[in-house]
Amino acid sequence: MEIVEDTYLVHRYWGKKLTSYHFSNRPPLKKRTFAAAPIAEKPEVSPEFLPFEFPYPHQGDFRNSAVQIQQANGDELVRFCFQSYEIKNGVNQLSDLPHARGADEEAQTLIIYLSDQIAEIELALYYTIFADSSVIVRSSKIKNIGTRPIKIAKLFSASIDVRYDQQLSTTFYGTHQKEFQLNRSEIQHGLYKIGSSRGASGPLYPPYIALSKGADEFRGEVHAMTLIYSGNHEIILERDQYDHLRMQAGLASETFSWQLNAEETFYSPQALLSYSDRGFNGSSQSFHRFFTDHLISPAWKNKERPLLINSWEMTYYDVNHKRIIDLIDAAADLGFETVALDDGWYGKRNSSKTSLGDWTVDTDKFPDGLKPLVDYAKEKNIGFGIWFEPEMISPKTELLQKHPDWVMRSKNYEPLLGRNQYVLDLTNPEVQHFIIETVAKTIMELGVSYVKWDMNRHMTDPFSQQQTFESTEYPHRYMLGLYRVLNELTSAFPEVLFENCSSGGGRLDPGMLFYFPQTWISDNTDGLDRQQIQYGASCLFPISSMTGHVSDVPNHQTNRVVPFKTRAALASSTNMGYEMNIAQLTEDEKKAVRSHLKEYKQERKLIMEGTFHRLQSPFEGNTCGWMFLNKEQAVIYLFRNRYQVFDLSLLIKLPGLDHHALYQEETTRQVYSGSELINCGLALENPKGDCIVQKIKLKKIEAESV
Ligand code: GLA
């Protein structure tokens, strides 16, 4: 960065580590008629060309701004000048937002202060770097140093100006049952904007953008950015008339504002920036390591996650004592470690039309309650988990009769239904208290070890009936309410595994990862569709954070029949579980499941903690391949979808292996050099049939033992 004319904070470089920097790439300034020229004697200094660290409007930089403020007198003008900076050890722990974690000796934070003395506003920019990571954490803070309230109309977390250099942009798009689709495209002149106004981060455009230059999975430069935030966000990419590129991320400006009274401060969520010169795999691997080391709860870092059997696709709402007892018996027999009782256990929940909010056990289905089930599971050394959708309320519930004012809605319009339910008003502290109490009581009374936290609709009426603030403050206030609830519950029960879900990956983002070490990434368990969903999500999220279940065929979402081996390999490539009727398997099926679980347990550490490499993209062809690698071994899966008679064989190259090592393949006992597997690749049979998978297991061996 550089301070230009004692005023402007400009950006100079973000990329590969330099030994030292002497402004070699600083572009010479050139006067241009018609460009803003605030300094009479230096007309070449124009905000129109400067690469800003944090641009504000009305200064002659006519690109998209990162901050907008309305002063008490109605003025929408602010001019932030550089004031000072300081460097502190450690990270900036935001008390009410999820944030990067790090001890004082692991991280350093640079804080740059800018201010507008007329408006009496201070802007602080935070940059945290870590000794063991290439990820940079950025955020911003506004402080009202005046005596009258101001309104923040926009505050991004990060903004970066670079030169356009034929980069491509990569973002995700998606929908329910088709999350994390990759969207890579050329960058046109103009403004490209994605984000969310759903009150949750996805599944349409989760917060992620990458700029890549001549990059594939293995080579080339990738500059990527994401947000530690789970609500409405905005990602901007602007290519201007001089071929400057501006990349920004932050709270969605259209659905945000904040009144800031005298002496108050407001913090933006944190943005994470990762640079890779090893293509998209390098970029994801940095995020994976960062999320594991500096975002998820340390209590769950590298902690073994239970092999789970979930009741949903087995029973849907039709759960009862006998069926769950049978499920526990089958789970114990086959080698599962936790049984999760999904939706249907409370109120009169026989369909999606009722009972959310009435969180008392349905005694028609469970005459003795759930405790005997939890105890029975414990006797068999099986954990027990339970499903909740705590942010919701169904019509015709006792809760709604008692607290009609708890529904998220405006005063004058009937709230709109989504999946037959309304959203609770989490800006209301009474609602927050109710959720904390209800979930905590259930956890304590039952002694469950796992909670699935669902959110099956997004927001259409983001207003509070008690509203004492402007309606554009609502979406962020909702998130602060939710984060408070999650913070209380996950701190009170650190030993309970909380799994995030929003009809699958509808709210999967780094913010949720702070509270939930794992997420059900999609309701689509189909053996074909799932390849793209897992491949896409892995661009940002570590394998340990993505759960995947083996389900029945024909698949309930697509009616497709994919062989068991392929479905098993796909789930084996995640934090694994099952959801099918394991109580009614044939002897052959039981044998297959038993051996699958045994194999997964043997490889679980490698899958969860090894380095993940994407090898062949299901977005580009007929195959999908990836590898789990640690110092000793590698497990590779190659999914080949449609059999084509003219494809005589398959070839998979394995960049990421050790060049100088020798590897032995487990089944054939054949030895290969790392360098040949990397460069020549490994040739494989191309068996007949659709949707097949091949697994290759390599063990590193010493050269002299060959
Ligand atoms: C959502 C979840 C499913 C299941 C159902 C229950 O769709 O994604 O896994 O829990 O809700 O209603």
Side-chain angles (χ1 to χ4, degrees), residues 38 40 63 204 209 238 304 633 637 639:
R63 293 162 283 177
L204 187 50
I209 186 163
E238 181 173 12
E304 202 164 81
Q633 51 175 333
Y637 288 109
F639 302 88

Side-chain angles (χ1 to χ4, degrees), residues 343-635:
D343 201 352
W345 58 267
Y346 53 91
K348 292 283 162 238
R349 182 77 169 173
N350 296 317
S351 76
S352 68
K353 291 210 167 98
T354 171
S355 301
L356 293 167
D358 290 349
W359 298 107
T360 43
V361 179
D362 180 347
T363 43
D364 290 344
K365 293 174 180 172
F366 301 97
D368 302 320
L370 298 179
K371 184 76 178 137
L373 293 171
V374 184
D375 293 343
Y376 185 66
K378 245 181 220 149
E379 273 168 35
K380 303 216 154 202
N381 209 14
I382 299 267
F384 196 91
I386 196 160
W387 179 96
F388 266 108
E389 200 181 349
E391 297 157 76
M392 299 294 153
I393 181 165
S394 303
K396 297 196 196 117
T397 42
E398 281 174 27
L399 188 69
L400 188 62
Q401 269 185 356
K402 229 163 118 192
H403 298 289
D405 55 326
W406 282 9
V407 175
M408 173 193 287
R409 59 171 292 178
S410 73
K411 288 194 182 115
N412 302 325
Y413 290 84
E414 271 305 302
L416 302 178
L417 287 165
R419 207 201 193 201
N420 303 302
Q421 64 203 46
Y422 304 122
V423 188
L424 284 170
D425 174 15
L426 266 83
T427 67
N428 181 344
E430 283 176 28
V431 174
Q432 297 166 15
H433 181 75
F434 164 77
I435 296 177
I436 294 168
E437 287 293 297
T438 311
V439 177
K441 195 164 156 257
T442 310
I443 293 176
M444 282 186 307
E445 281 179 6
L446 295 179
V448 293
S449 53
Y450 163 94
V451 169
K452 178 173 170 188
W453 185 292
D454 215 334
M455 185 212 201
N456 283 322
R457 66 157 294 181
H458 289 167
M459 299 169 199
T460 48
D461 302 79
F463 309 100
S464 170
Q465 297 177 61
Q466 268 89 42
Q467 202 140 307
T468 52
F469 43 82
E470 255 193 64
S471 56
T472 37
E473 296 198 3
Y474 190 90
H476 187 58
R477 285 186 182 272
Y478 182 94
M479 289 318 304
L480 295 179
L482 175 65
Y483 287 147
R484 190 192 142 220
V485 168
L486 295 176
N487 198 27
E488 295 242 348
L489 284 168
T490 52
S491 318
F493 302 103
E495 70 295 348
V496 173
L497 177 59
F498 283 85
E499 178 157 338
N500 168 41
C501 178
S502 177
S503 289
R507 191 170 57 182
L508 169 51
D509 55 75
M512 289 317 246
L513 222 56
F514 184 82
Y515 306 100
F516 297 91
Q518 58 190 55
T519 295
W520 174 234
I521 59 165
S522 182
D523 272 355
N524 190 338
T525 53
D526 173 75
L528 254 188
D529 290 354
R530 192 91 189 176
Q531 293 174 20
Q532 293 188 337
I533 298 168
Q534 289 177 202
Y535 194 95
S538 78
C539 290
L540 187 56
F541 297 103
I543 297 302
S544 63
S545 70
M546 302 164 23
T547 57
H549 294 176
V550 181
S551 65
D552 221 340
V553 283
N555 179 270
H556 293 195
Q557 292 79 43
T558 62
N559 216 28
R560 195 177 283 133
V561 178
V562 168
F564 174 76
K565 215 174 143 200
T566 305
R567 287 177 282 136
L570 264 172
S572 275
S573 302
T574 64
N575 181 344
M576 190 176 89
Y578 271 57
E579 50 187 294
M580 58 161 68
N581 195 348
I582 54 162
Q584 282 180 0
L585 298 177
T586 63
E587 283 311 312
D588 281 353
E589 286 168 338
K590 278 189 198 163
K591 215 169 132 199
V593 173
R594 259 191 219 111
S595 108
H596 177 218
L597 298 191
K598 193 167 158 223
E599 180 182 310
Y600 183 81
K601 283 178 190 166
Q602 280 160 2
E603 290 164 2
R604 173 158 49 188
K605 202 168 163 58
L606 167 65
I607 290 160
M608 299 287 280
E609 294 170 32
T611 313
F612 181 70
H613 295 255
R614 289 178 302 276
L615 301 173
Q616 294 188 7
S617 170
F619 292 99
E620 287 165 12
N622 191 25
T623 57
C624 167
W626 47 58
M627 166 166 75
F628 301 87
L629 179 70
N630 66 17
K631 287 208 173 73
E632 291 90 44
Q633 51 175 333
V635 165

